[in-house]
Amino acid sequence: MAGSSDLNASRRLFVKILGQTTVLIPIAGLSACGKPPTAASTGASPPPPPAPPGAAPGTGMDAQAGEVANTAQPPASGNDLPHIGLDDPAARALGYSFDAATVDNAKYPEHLKGQSCRKCAQFKGGPNDAWGPCMVFAGKQVNAHGWCTAFVAKPA
Ligand code: SF4
């Protein structure tokens, strides 16, 4: 009967271990369910760190530090440049006029009827712009109906 006693002791030990295990496994599972998923548990990449205060959107750089190199901005169109004035020395030197129809042809015989900034190769404004940048007067806009002695006809 000694073999039967050993068998009973082994059986009791097995039942004891089984009972502890069936209690511990659900507890371990519950403790894991309460936590949010992590990058390690999901296999996903972790999110980027938050942008610092004052950072320009999409650049990751500090706008207040003057380090912004936002390539998402369109190139400058020149529409924000100041309009040239008739008192501008370069404008006076080249006989610039806001309105080609008022050009003194006796003083500027090279001016031909129909010429205007809009039809000049130096004019960089759009086809419907009232004002636009001019290659001759850098940093300024000229009137699309204007004219000066540096007029060069746009290629047909
Ligand atoms: Fe106008 Fe051409 Fe003279 Fe510029 S260079 S002011 S576009 S006529």
Side-chain angles (χ1 to χ4, degrees):
M1 288 309 266
S4 175
S5 175
D6 289 344
L7 186 60
N8 285 339
S10 296
R11 190 175 295 154
R12 277 195 295 272
L13 180 62
F14 173 76
V15 169
K16 183 178 176 185
I17 291 172
L18 182 65
Q20 289 173 346
T21 306
T22 54
V23 171
L24 290 177
I25 288 174
I27 289 173
L30 285 174
S31 67
C33 288
K35 296 178 183 172
T38 63
S41 67
T42 62
S45 300
T59 63
M61 301 181 82
D62 187 352
Q64 292 178 341
E67 299 173 0
V68 175
N70 192 344
T71 56
Q73 292 287 333
S77 66
N79 291 341
D80 53 348
L81 296 174
H83 295 176
I84 196 165
L86 295 179
D87 57 344
D88 184 289
R92 292 175 62 159
L94 295 176
Y96 174 77
S97 171
F98 290 126
D99 184 357
T102 64
V103 172
D104 182 352
N105 286 332
K107 189 174 181 181
Y108 301 107
E110 64 270 44
H111 174 248
L112 301 177
K113 187 173 181 180
Q115 292 179 344
S116 68
C117 292
R118 189 183 304 284
K119 297 176 183 174
C120 178
Q122 310 284 9
F123 185 73
K124 298 305 172 190
N128 298 317
D129 290 344
W131 292 79
C134 169
M135 299 296 285
V136 172
F137 301 114
K140 301 281 177 66
Q141 290 189 83
V142 298
N143 192 299
H145 297 293
W147 181 87
C148 83
T149 57
F151 176 89
V152 178
K154 281 184 179 176

PDB file of all heavy atoms in Angstrom, residues 96 116-117 120 122-123 134 136-137 142 146-152, ligand 1:
ATOM      1  N   TYR A  96       9.757 106.196 -67.543  1.00  0.00           N
ATOM      2  CA  TYR A  96       8.628 105.336 -67.189  1.00  0.00           C
ATOM      3  C   TYR A  96       7.356 106.148 -67.048  1.00  0.00           C
ATOM      4  O   TYR A  96       7.348 107.255 -66.502  1.00  0.00           O
ATOM      5  CB  TYR A  96       8.913 104.585 -65.879  1.00  0.00           C
ATOM      6  CG  TYR A  96       7.721 103.796 -65.374  1.00  0.00           C
ATOM      7  CD1 TYR A  96       7.370 102.583 -65.953  1.00  0.00           C
ATOM      8  CD2 TYR A  96       6.924 104.305 -64.344  1.00  0.00           C
ATOM      9  CE1 TYR A  96       6.255 101.887 -65.506  1.00  0.00           C
ATOM     10  CE2 TYR A  96       5.827 103.608 -63.890  1.00  0.00           C
ATOM     11  CZ  TYR A  96       5.492 102.396 -64.479  1.00  0.00           C
ATOM     12  OH  TYR A  96       4.390 101.721 -64.051  1.00  0.00           O
ATOM     13  N   SER A 116       3.223  98.328 -74.284  1.00  0.00           N
ATOM     14  CA  SER A 116       2.938  98.522 -72.862  1.00  0.00           C
ATOM     15  C   SER A 116       3.704  97.461 -72.082  1.00  0.00           C
ATOM     16  O   SER A 116       4.193  96.473 -72.652  1.00  0.00           O
ATOM     17  CB  SER A 116       1.440  98.407 -72.564  1.00  0.00           C
ATOM     18  OG  SER A 116       1.006  97.081 -72.766  1.00  0.00           O
ATOM     19  N   CYS A 117       3.760  97.654 -70.788  1.00  0.00           N
ATOM     20  CA  CYS A 117       4.493  96.711 -69.936  1.00  0.00           C
ATOM     21  C   CYS A 117       3.962  95.283 -70.103  1.00  0.00           C
ATOM     22  O   CYS A 117       4.743  94.334 -70.129  1.00  0.00           O
ATOM     23  CB  CYS A 117       4.405  97.142 -68.479  1.00  0.00           C
ATOM     24  SG  CYS A 117       5.284  98.682 -68.119  1.00  0.00           S
ATOM     25  N   CYS A 120       5.695  93.587 -72.759  1.00  0.00           N
ATOM     26  CA  CYS A 120       7.159  93.661 -72.674  1.00  0.00           C
ATOM     27  C   CYS A 120       7.718  92.366 -72.089  1.00  0.00           C
ATOM     28  O   CYS A 120       7.159  91.799 -71.144  1.00  0.00           O
ATOM     29  CB  CYS A 120       7.555  94.855 -71.792  1.00  0.00           C
ATOM     30  SG  CYS A 120       9.329  95.029 -71.543  1.00  0.00           S
ATOM     31  N   GLN A 122      10.201  92.099 -70.288  1.00  0.00           N
ATOM     32  CA  GLN A 122      10.720  92.324 -68.936  1.00  0.00           C
ATOM     33  C   GLN A 122       9.623  92.215 -67.870  1.00  0.00           C
ATOM     34  O   GLN A 122       9.922  92.100 -66.696  1.00  0.00           O
ATOM     35  CB  GLN A 122      11.342  93.732 -68.841  1.00  0.00           C
ATOM     36  CG  GLN A 122      12.321  94.071 -69.939  1.00  0.00           C
ATOM     37  CD  GLN A 122      13.665  93.396 -69.766  1.00  0.00           C
ATOM     38  OE1 GLN A 122      13.839  92.540 -68.907  1.00  0.00           O
ATOM     39  NE2 GLN A 122      14.619  93.765 -70.593  1.00  0.00           N
ATOM     40  N   PHE A 123       8.382  92.254 -68.302  1.00  0.00           N
ATOM     41  CA  PHE A 123       7.256  92.217 -67.363  1.00  0.00           C
ATOM     42  C   PHE A 123       7.040  90.781 -66.893  1.00  0.00           C
ATOM     43  O   PHE A 123       6.887  89.864 -67.715  1.00  0.00           O
ATOM     44  CB  PHE A 123       5.991  92.747 -68.042  1.00  0.00           C
ATOM     45  CG  PHE A 123       4.796  92.863 -67.130  1.00  0.00           C
ATOM     46  CD1 PHE A 123       4.729  93.855 -66.167  1.00  0.00           C
ATOM     47  CD2 PHE A 123       3.728  91.991 -67.260  1.00  0.00           C
ATOM     48  CE1 PHE A 123       3.615  93.981 -65.344  1.00  0.00           C
ATOM     49  CE2 PHE A 123       2.615  92.102 -66.442  1.00  0.00           C
ATOM     50  CZ  PHE A 123       2.559  93.099 -65.478  1.00  0.00           C
ATOM     51  N   CYS A 134       9.077  93.835 -62.688  1.00  0.00           N
ATOM     52  CA  CYS A 134       9.775  94.137 -63.944  1.00  0.00           C
ATOM     53  C   CYS A 134      11.241  93.831 -63.732  1.00  0.00           C
ATOM     54  O   CYS A 134      11.814  94.158 -62.700  1.00  0.00           O
ATOM     55  CB  CYS A 134       9.579  95.606 -64.297  1.00  0.00           C
ATOM     56  SG  CYS A 134      10.647  96.175 -65.640  1.00  0.00           S
ATOM     57  N   VAL A 136      13.715  95.150 -65.090  1.00  0.00           N
ATOM     58  CA  VAL A 136      14.532  96.369 -65.126  1.00  0.00           C
ATOM     59  C   VAL A 136      14.484  97.076 -63.775  1.00  0.00           C
ATOM     60  O   VAL A 136      15.506  97.541 -63.268  1.00  0.00           O
ATOM     61  CB  VAL A 136      14.062  97.296 -66.261  1.00  0.00           C
ATOM     62  CG1 VAL A 136      14.758  98.651 -66.184  1.00  0.00           C
ATOM     63  CG2 VAL A 136      14.294  96.635 -67.611  1.00  0.00           C
ATOM     64  N   PHE A 137      13.307  97.134 -63.170  1.00  0.00           N
ATOM     65  CA  PHE A 137      13.127  97.804 -61.887  1.00  0.00           C
ATOM     66  C   PHE A 137      13.010  96.750 -60.789  1.00  0.00           C
ATOM     67  O   PHE A 137      11.907  96.433 -60.316  1.00  0.00           O
ATOM     68  CB  PHE A 137      11.884  98.697 -61.930  1.00  0.00           C
ATOM     69  CG  PHE A 137      11.954  99.764 -63.011  1.00  0.00           C
ATOM     70  CD1 PHE A 137      11.088  99.739 -64.085  1.00  0.00           C
ATOM     71  CD2 PHE A 137      12.895 100.781 -62.951  1.00  0.00           C
ATOM     72  CE1 PHE A 137      11.147 100.713 -65.072  1.00  0.00           C
ATOM     73  CE2 PHE A 137      12.968 101.759 -63.935  1.00  0.00           C
ATOM     74  CZ  PHE A 137      12.094 101.723 -64.996  1.00  0.00           C
ATOM     75  N   VAL A 142       5.531  97.308 -61.721  1.00  0.00           N
ATOM     76  CA  VAL A 142       5.159  98.341 -62.689  1.00  0.00           C
ATOM     77  C   VAL A 142       3.725  98.076 -63.127  1.00  0.00           C
ATOM     78  O   VAL A 142       3.227  96.948 -63.029  1.00  0.00           O
ATOM     79  CB  VAL A 142       6.115  98.350 -63.907  1.00  0.00           C
ATOM     80  CG1 VAL A 142       7.534  98.682 -63.468  1.00  0.00           C
ATOM     81  CG2 VAL A 142       6.079  97.012 -64.642  1.00  0.00           C
ATOM     82  N   GLY A 146       1.782 100.425 -68.288  1.00  0.00           N
ATOM     83  CA  GLY A 146       2.859 101.402 -68.345  1.00  0.00           C
ATOM     84  C   GLY A 146       3.808 101.188 -69.511  1.00  0.00           C
ATOM     85  O   GLY A 146       3.588 100.325 -70.389  1.00  0.00           O
ATOM     86  N   TRP A 147       4.869 101.960 -69.475  1.00  0.00           N
ATOM     87  CA  TRP A 147       5.872 101.843 -70.543  1.00  0.00           C
ATOM     88  C   TRP A 147       7.140 102.568 -70.098  1.00  0.00           C
ATOM     89  O   TRP A 147       7.078 103.522 -69.300  1.00  0.00           O
ATOM     90  CB  TRP A 147       5.368 102.484 -71.836  1.00  0.00           C
ATOM     91  CG  TRP A 147       6.340 102.390 -72.986  1.00  0.00           C
ATOM     92  CD1 TRP A 147       6.464 101.370 -73.880  1.00  0.00           C
ATOM     93  CD2 TRP A 147       7.317 103.365 -73.358  1.00  0.00           C
ATOM     94  NE1 TRP A 147       7.460 101.648 -74.790  1.00  0.00           N
ATOM     95  CE2 TRP A 147       7.998 102.871 -74.486  1.00  0.00           C
ATOM     96  CE3 TRP A 147       7.694 104.612 -72.840  1.00  0.00           C
ATOM     97  CZ2 TRP A 147       9.038 103.570 -75.114  1.00  0.00           C
ATOM     98  CZ3 TRP A 147       8.732 105.306 -73.468  1.00  0.00           C
ATOM     99  CH2 TRP A 147       9.380 104.778 -74.592  1.00  0.00           C
ATOM    100  N   CYS A 148       8.301 102.113 -70.625  1.00  0.00           N
ATOM    101  CA  CYS A 148       9.554 102.844 -70.445  1.00  0.00           C
ATOM    102  C   CYS A 148      10.438 102.567 -71.654  1.00  0.00           C
ATOM    103  O   CYS A 148      10.123 101.714 -72.491  1.00  0.00           O
ATOM    104  CB  CYS A 148      10.244 102.468 -69.135  1.00  0.00           C
ATOM    105  SG  CYS A 148      11.230 100.960 -69.209  1.00  0.00           S
ATOM    106  N   THR A 149      11.563 103.279 -71.737  1.00  0.00           N
ATOM    107  CA  THR A 149      12.442 103.173 -72.911  1.00  0.00           C
ATOM    108  C   THR A 149      13.170 101.825 -72.978  1.00  0.00           C
ATOM    109  O   THR A 149      13.785 101.524 -73.991  1.00  0.00           O
ATOM    110  CB  THR A 149      13.479 104.305 -72.905  1.00  0.00           C
ATOM    111  OG1 THR A 149      14.209 104.254 -71.681  1.00  0.00           O
ATOM    112  CG2 THR A 149      12.810 105.665 -73.063  1.00  0.00           C
ATOM    113  N   ALA A 150      13.071 101.015 -71.898  1.00  0.00           N
ATOM    114  CA  ALA A 150      13.698  99.686 -71.921  1.00  0.00           C
ATOM    115  C   ALA A 150      12.751  98.622 -72.463  1.00  0.00           C
ATOM    116  O   ALA A 150      13.066  97.427 -72.404  1.00  0.00           O
ATOM    117  CB  ALA A 150      14.153  99.308 -70.510  1.00  0.00           C
ATOM    118  N   PHE A 151      11.654  99.064 -73.049  1.00  0.00           N
ATOM    119  CA  PHE A 151      10.663  98.114 -73.586  1.00  0.00           C
ATOM    120  C   PHE A 151      11.323  97.157 -74.581  1.00  0.00           C
ATOM    121  O   PHE A 151      12.069  97.555 -75.459  1.00  0.00           O
ATOM    122  CB  PHE A 151       9.525  98.876 -74.268  1.00  0.00           C
ATOM    123  CG  PHE A 151       8.521  97.970 -74.932  1.00  0.00           C
ATOM    124  CD1 PHE A 151       7.419  97.479 -74.228  1.00  0.00           C
ATOM    125  CD2 PHE A 151       8.662  97.593 -76.260  1.00  0.00           C
ATOM    126  CE1 PHE A 151       6.490  96.652 -74.840  1.00  0.00           C
ATOM    127  CE2 PHE A 151       7.742  96.754 -76.883  1.00  0.00           C
ATOM    128  CZ  PHE A 151       6.649  96.277 -76.173  1.00  0.00           C
ATOM    129  N   VAL A 152      11.009  95.874 -74.421  1.00  0.00           N
ATOM    130  CA  VAL A 152      11.431  94.818 -75.366  1.00  0.00           C
ATOM    131  C   VAL A 152      10.190  93.979 -75.648  1.00  0.00           C
ATOM    132  O   VAL A 152       9.603  93.425 -74.714  1.00  0.00           O
ATOM    133  CB  VAL A 152      12.544  93.925 -74.757  1.00  0.00           C
ATOM    134  CG1 VAL A 152      12.922  92.813 -75.718  1.00  0.00           C
ATOM    135  CG2 VAL A 152      13.755  94.743 -74.384  1.00  0.00           C
TER     136      VAL A 152
HETATM  137 FE1  SF4 B   1       7.404  98.168 -68.575  1.00  0.00          FE
HETATM  138 FE2  SF4 B   1       9.154  96.751 -69.986  1.00  0.00          FE
HETATM  139 FE3  SF4 B   1       9.797  99.198 -69.117  1.00  0.00          FE
HETATM  140 FE4  SF4 B   1       9.578  97.171 -67.383  1.00  0.00          FE
HETATM  141  S1  SF4 B   1      11.071  97.358 -69.040  1.00  0.00           S
HETATM  142  S2  SF4 B   1       8.738  99.249 -67.153  1.00  0.00           S
HETATM  143  S3  SF4 B   1       7.912  96.023 -68.269  1.00  0.00           S
HETATM  144  S4  SF4 B   1       8.200  98.676 -70.599  1.00  0.00           S
END
